[in-house]
Amino acid sequence: MDVLTENFSLYGKGFLGTVELTVLASLLALVLGFLMASFRVAPVGSFRVFGTVWVTVLRNTPLTLLFFAVLLGLPRFGLVLPFKVFAVLALGCYTSAFICEALRSGINTVPRGQGEAARSLGMTFGQTLTSVVLPQAFRSVIPPVGSTLIALAKNSAIAGAFSVTELLGTYKTLNELGYSIIWTFVWIAVGYLVITLSISALFNWLEKRFGVAR
């Protein structure tokens, strides 16, 4: 317990940093994922191509490489932002590809006749998607979206290698101070467990409240 009690502020700062990264990147991933899913099922061919390229590139790019590209590449083009913002961009964009595919699979579970009926009533593509298709698809995509955001929380550990304050990065300071590396990582693991179990609890509640009855 000494590792935790004597360095509670350091652990707390890292824990809050990971929570902040997770929340902000999750919001960005959900927005971009919804947008890309809309593009992938849009009637406009150029939108479908853009959505497909976005998903294909990001899903097949290692997250560490994406961090290097964003944190070290963008400043070379004159875009200078705090490293935390770059980390949110990297995590959010990467995760959005997986959110997109989860949403698209949910959209595909909605009978085609639902969309055709909406269009026959004069509804636009946007109205059909947001008012008819997505409310039904949402119920079936809660579990995969929850799993994806849990993975995002764990992936945020990569940000510590780029001078972003987060939970895993606390081990460097504690190791330099001579604390047991084993117990240092035990308490780091507990912190990640708290975050992931919180996300899991939230999505379990959403699934019970809105999910498809089996």
Side-chain angles (χ1 to χ4, degrees), residues 139 207 210-214:
R139 301 174 63 195
E207 187 175 8
F210 302 105
V212 177
R214 303 294 182 183

Side-chain angles (χ1 to χ4, degrees), residues 21 37 46:
L21 275 176
S46 57

